[in-house]
Amino acid sequence: MNGTLIATAAAMAFYAAGLLFVVLFSSVKKVRTLKLGAILFVGGYVITAVIFYFLMPTITVPNMLLANLMTAGVLLPLLLYAVRPDQKFEARVATPIMFLFGLGLVGLLVTFVLGFTALGTAHETITYQEKDEAEPLSKEETPIAVAPEFARNKIQKAMSVVPNTQFFDLGKLQVQKVNGEVVYVAPVEFAGFWKFLRGQETAGYFTISATDVSGQPQFHESPMKYTNSSYLHHYIQRVIYNEYPHYIQSGEAQIEVDDNGKPWYVQTVYRPLHFTNRPDFDEIKVVVIDPETGKMEMYDTEKAPEFIEGSVSSEMATMENHYFGKYVHGWLNSVFGKKDVKIPNKSGTESEVTPIFNNKGEMLYFTDMTSPKENIDSALGYTLIDARTGELVYYNGEKNNGIMDSEGAKQIVNKEFPEKKWEGSMPVLYNVDGHPTWIVNVLDPNGLLKQYAYIKANDSDFAVFGDTAKETLDAYRMALMQDPGNIGATEETVTEPVEGVVSRVSVTSSEKGQVVYFLLENDTTIYIVNASKFPLAIFLEKGDRIKARAQVLDNETATIEDLTIEGLTGASSAR
């Protein structure tokens, strides 16, 4: 049934009750009162329905109480005036009507108070766990290398390939995996109401790689009638509202593409807690809409079709972060004591969060948390929210204590290139070989990608810049190996036994000390030894036999964690 009509009927309840009081208690003839009351009911219903058609208020207790008070507040005085045009209101009629309004106001006040008390309850509905640190970054877990500003800039320049391009603008970018490749998907949207009337349907969508900065946008022709930029009964939010008026919609519907190239609009929705508008994070749903026909289906988020990565919207993830961090001990604590309160930073690329993909191909929303105290620029930890289930993992281990937050990482980049006005964008915290590391895109004022920055999160002076993501990662890892402050690998680091005869040796010096590079016979791996950790390594020669434990990295290099050199007195070992 049409949600607008249901919501309008619910908003007329107080007026209907007031009309009944007037009929029962007024001295005016009941037939005349009913006739006038019915006329006002029909007129009020039509006007309210038109207003609700555009406003689309969710059918919740607070919303409907407010709507009832507003409609009754306008229609009942008109009714009382109509039945007795030049006379004062009858006390026996005014009394029950005032009681009705008083009851409504009390109910509205109660829902307002419940809204605050439900904040802690909403926090309790979040499924979450806490961990010390994330798995180390691997070659299967390539960071999203292309900032959305850069991708949008490229696609904008390709808009000329769209048929009747004067009718359209570029819509919201959404990152997802299509046929195994991480891409940005951007629908073509109507440029305005008159363009909608003339065009009737949009032309299709663009895709562009989210990991390859040299990738070019591709236009996919796929006409869509039901979109975020359509109007009237083709507007996506209204289509969903008319089918599910009891559900609150989270943010703007986003486009996702299945493996056959067909686009679908995806909208996260939720039912509120009890008599409030507060979210129940345990009952999040997703509506999937065919933009050609308008047919839709609702799913539990984790049971949505497999091609959908973001059945939990970025807006919903942002809300979850706020509730998780701020209302950990309820509303009063968030205002006064602020015990354990954490505030999410706003450095994300999508509604304060940044989407990333793990080595399982799952999309997660990243956000770092900071203290509610002012002038504190260190992170307390960070969250990853599963974009299909909504499950939140909070990483707050010892290694994350005292690290800079995302805003601090961006400022390091901004200060590096003041004359060029290049700025940091899309900071994401990764675990690189056991070290919390900010990976930041460096953009020029036009949103074009210029460099990458890898910044050690607990050392603002330790930053490596490069032209490609792989080159910068390799250079950063090399810098970590050469830093005498990095005593050794973490307990979680996987090391492998190594044994063999040295075939080549090279010793280099830097401001941070000496580093020894060597090769073993029949082995192409480059082994790297920090001389500050293994002093005897500088005496390493061709032909020496060594035994070691090494952390093998993805770029055919390995760092030595424990070393014994046959023929030298004692052993050189890390403890």
Side-chain angles (χ1 to χ4, degrees):
M1 189 179 289
N2 191 294
T4 300
L5 301 180
I6 298 173
T8 305
M12 299 294 290
F14 274 25
Y15 171 73
L19 173 59
L20 180 62
F21 290 150
V22 175
V23 170
L24 292 176
F25 299 113
S26 176
S27 60
V28 181
K29 291 183 179 179
K30 290 179 173 52
V31 174
R32 181 170 180 271
T33 303
L34 277 173
K35 182 178 179 181
L36 291 171
I39 292 172
L40 281 173
F41 183 90
V42 173
Y45 186 93
V46 171
I47 294 172
T48 304
V50 171
I51 295 172
F52 279 13
Y53 179 80
F54 291 100
L55 294 183
M56 295 176 289
T58 307
I59 301 177
T60 64
V61 173
N63 291 356
M64 291 301 103
L65 275 174
L66 182 60
N68 269 281
L69 287 170
M70 294 176 69
T71 54
V74 172
L75 295 177
L76 285 177
L78 288 176
L79 175 64
L80 292 174
Y81 176 79
V83 297
R84 295 170 61 89
D86 300 317
Q87 301 179 42
K88 293 182 179 180
F89 294 161
E90 296 174 277
R92 59 182 180 176
V93 176
T95 300
I97 290 178
M98 293 303 294
F99 174 78
L100 182 66
F101 273 98
L103 194 64
L105 288 170
V106 169
L108 196 61
L109 180 61
V110 169
T111 62
F112 181 76
V113 173
L114 286 176
F116 287 100
T117 60
L119 290 169
T121 305
H123 174 275
E124 292 171 2
T125 66
I126 298 174
T127 301
Y128 73 93
Q129 54 180 311
E130 297 189 12
K131 293 184 179 181
D132 287 341
E133 66 177 354
E135 293 294 320
L137 181 68
S138 67
K139 62 184 177 183
E140 289 82 14
E141 190 179 1
T142 305
I144 294 174
V146 180
E149 300 96 327
F150 180 64
R152 175 172 287 277
N153 186 293
K154 272 195 168 184
I155 297 175
Q156 288 282 14
K157 293 178 180 178
M159 281 290 287
S160 59
V161 304
V162 179
N164 297 314
T165 186
Q166 70 275 14
F167 287 176
F168 307 114
D169 282 333
L170 191 63
K172 173 185 175 182
L173 269 68
Q174 170 66 28
V175 68
Q176 66 172 111
K177 267 194 174 182
V178 179
N179 292 319
E181 182 184 1
V182 180
V183 297
Y184 285 107
V185 181
V188 173
E189 300 279 12
F190 289 111
F193 179 70
W194 299 111
K195 303 296 174 64
F196 161 73
L197 289 181
R198 292 193 62 186
Q200 292 298 310
E201 61 184 20
T202 60
Y205 63 92
F206 282 92
T207 59
I208 186 171
S209 174
T211 57
D212 182 6
V213 294
S214 63
Q216 296 301 313
Q218 293 184 327
F219 176 67
H220 306 265
E221 192 167 344
S222 183
M224 293 180 276
K225 292 182 179 180
Y226 298 86
T227 73
N228 284 321
S229 59
S230 299
Y231 289 82
L232 306 174
H233 56 286
H234 284 163
Y235 179 40
I236 283 286
Q237 190 172 348
R238 184 169 293 114
V239 172
I240 298 172
Y241 175 76
N242 283 330
E243 187 70 23
Y244 304 108
H246 295 85
Y247 283 83
I248 297 175
Q249 299 184 44
S250 173
E252 184 179 76
Q254 60 196 30
I255 192 172
E256 298 224 16
V257 179
D258 64 22
D259 291 337
N260 296 319
K262 177 177 173 57
W264 301 79
Y265 270 98
V266 177
Q267 177 65 61
T268 306
V269 298
Y270 62 90
R271 291 291 294 270
L273 282 168
H274 312 309
F275 301 104
T276 73
N277 285 340
R278 304 302 182 187
D280 183 344
F281 293 101
D282 196 38
E283 294 293 336
I284 305 174
K285 308 287 185 181
V286 62
V287 179
V288 182
I289 308 173
D290 187 333
E292 292 185 75
T293 65
K295 291 183 179 179
M296 71 187 79
E297 192 163 349
M298 179 182 285
Y299 302 90
D300 292 335
T301 54
E302 66 273 17
K303 295 180 181 178
E306 290 186 6
F307 71 87
I308 295 175
E309 266 84 31
S311 50
V312 175
S313 68
S314 56
E315 291 86 358
M316 195 75 215
T318 297
M319 186 189 301
E320 186 172 349
N321 274 321
H322 278 279
Y323 276 79
F324 170 76
K326 192 172 183 180
Y327 304 116
V328 58
H329 298 305
W331 173 72
L332 282 176
N333 179 72
S334 72
V335 176
F336 299 106
K338 297 187 178 181
K339 179 184 177 183
D340 298 327
V341 168
K342 303 168 284 291
I343 305 297
N345 261 317
K346 300 180 180 181
S347 300
T349 59
E350 293 185 11
S351 186
E352 301 181 17
V353 298
T354 299
I356 63 174
F357 285 84
N358 64 15
N359 55 10
K360 298 178 183 177
E362 301 165 335
M363 191 168 86
L364 309 169
Y365 293 115
F366 166 85
T367 309
D368 63 306
M369 295 286 190
T370 189
S371 169
K373 294 182 180 179
E374 295 183 2
N375 302 319
I376 301 294
D377 59 359
S378 61
L380 298 177
Y382 60 97
T383 64
L384 292 177
I385 296 177
D386 191 306
R388 276 187 64 90
T389 67
E391 181 177 351
L392 182 151
V393 180
Y394 178 50
Y395 297 92
N396 65 339
E398 184 177 344
K399 285 207 166 189
N400 295 319
N401 292 339
I403 63 175
M404 75 183 78
D405 63 9
S406 55
E407 288 296 328
K410 288 167 63 175
Q411 287 303 316
I412 289 175
V413 174
N414 297 349
K415 293 175 182 177
E416 185 73 16
F417 307 100
E419 71 288 349
K420 298 179 179 180
K421 297 183 179 179
W422 292 357
E423 294 186 348
S425 173
M426 203 170 72
V428 177
L429 191 68
Y430 280 94
N431 176 354
V432 179
D433 305 335
H435 302 279
T437 302
W438 285 108
I439 302 177
V440 187
N441 281 239
V442 184
L443 306 182
D444 71 6
N446 296 318
L448 297 177
L449 181 70
K450 292 300 181 181
Q451 285 193 334
Y452 298 92
Y454 280 61
I455 304 168
K456 196 174 179 184
N458 57 7
D459 185 353
S460 60
D461 295 325
F462 198 108
V464 175
F465 294 83
D467 294 329
T468 69
K470 185 179 186 305
E471 170 192 315
T472 315
L473 175 59
D474 290 346
Y476 178 75
R477 280 173 160 163
M478 192 67 66
L480 287 174
M481 297 170 195
Q482 295 173 351
D483 186 359
N486 298 327
I487 300 303
T490 63
E491 292 180 0
E492 294 83 0
T493 300
V494 177
T495 59
E496 301 176 2
V498 176
E499 184 175 354
V501 177
V502 175
S503 62
R504 294 285 190 279
V505 181
S506 175
V507 180
T508 63
S509 299
S510 68
E511 294 179 357
K512 297 184 177 181
Q514 291 180 305
V515 178
V516 180
Y517 302 84
F518 67 89
L519 296 175
L520 297 178
E521 292 179 355
N522 302 317
D523 187 350
T524 59
T525 302
I526 301 173
Y527 294 95
I528 305 166
V529 186
N530 193 319
S532 63
K533 304 174 190 177
F534 307 98
L536 293 179
I538 61 174
F539 301 106
L540 199 62
E541 295 179 347
K542 179 180 178 180
D544 284 343
R545 175 171 290 278
I546 64 100
K547 290 183 179 180
R549 296 197 64 82
Q551 179 191 3
V552 181
L553 306 180
D554 303 325
N555 56 352
E556 296 188 348
T557 62
T559 58
I560 297 297
E561 302 297 336
D562 189 71
L563 175 66
T564 300
I565 304 172
E566 189 176 295
L568 292 182
T569 304
S572 184
S573 303
R575 293 289 183 264

